Amino acid sequence: LDWSAAFLTRSIEQLPPQDQRYRLFLSSEPHPGLPIGVLQSCLKLSSEVPHGLNANLRRALQPFSEDYFQECARPQKLKAVVLSLCTFHSVIVERIKYGRLGWNQRYPFRAADLVACANVAFNTLDAEHKVPWGDLRYIFGDIMYGGHITDPYDRILCSAYLDQYICDELLLAGQSLLLPGLATPQWTTPWEELVDLMLANAPKECPAHLGIHQNVELDLMRTQ
């Protein structure tokens, strides 16, 4: 990088006068060794994934469709489990931005973990009439997501979330299990309508929705 940075800087400085319509486009991943001279002489554009609980929820809901659920023998129960899983995934990913106040360690929770858990729920409900809540909580919390978690207190936190999100009351409409002010819907509703309902009625983002004190925002703004 040292050689390429110096070469790039010299090459840009030695460019002959060009037509006013001439533009030189450079692209790069973030790196602390990027030459300051080049950065100062450029117009800089950055592309970042939207942050926030609602943005996480939107991304978590995208991999699934009504056809996915209709292939299962018990689509309504599967919708309940997957929608709750999406909320769980969004919440634990959002906690990462608060550093040690969110998790004691930084864990690489990914969308692949969510999809893998949904497929486990699909296969389980395809074979069993009654939802094995305890089995699902164990698989999700100790194997799938829990496979990333190394701190014992973080494991307790993950289990506490799953006790809230993966439970029998989830199948009842009108329960405030997902997010504050966001009750469980009728599970006969098509998936696309459930997604619109979730995104339209998602509460205003607040650390309290993650189980974190409001003052954590002050610490976050000081460190950013």
Side-chain angles (χ1 to χ4, degrees), residues 6-81:
F7 175 78
L8 179 62
T9 303
R10 278 198 312 273
S11 299
I12 293 177
E13 290 175 349
Q14 295 172 1
L15 283 174
Q18 303 290 337
D19 187 281
Q20 290 297 319
R21 294 172 297 177
Y22 175 80
R23 298 291 183 270
L24 175 63
F25 290 90
L26 303 173
S27 63
S28 171
E29 294 183 355
H31 194 282
L34 290 175
I36 300 299
V38 174
L39 292 175
Q40 289 177 339
S41 61
C42 293
L43 293 175
K44 293 167 285 294
L45 300 175
S46 63
S47 176
E48 295 183 355
V49 176
H51 298 291
L53 181 60
N54 293 350
N56 292 342
L57 186 60
R58 184 182 298 273
R59 287 193 295 272
L61 295 166
Q62 283 180 346
F64 308 101
S65 65
E66 181 67 19
D67 292 339
Y68 174 81
F69 297 99
Q70 293 305 321
E71 292 176 0
C72 180
R74 294 163 186 85
Q76 295 178 23
K77 293 180 178 179
L78 182 61
K79 284 180 186 178
V81 173

Side-chain angles (χ1 to χ4, degrees), residues 171-222:
L171 300 178
L172 304 175
Q175 302 296 308
S176 297
L177 297 175
L178 300 176
L179 289 171
L182 187 60
T184 51
Q186 294 288 344
W187 299 116
T188 53
T189 307
W191 178 253
E192 286 71 19
E193 293 183 22
L194 286 177
V195 170
D196 292 340
L197 183 67
M198 285 286 291
L199 297 177
N201 296 286
K204 184 179 179 181
E205 295 182 18
C206 171
H209 297 163
L210 311 177
I212 305 177
H213 195 275
Q214 296 275 20
N215 288 344
V216 74
E217 290 283 5
L218 299 176
D219 184 74
L220 180 65
M221 286 188 288
R222 281 195 295 265

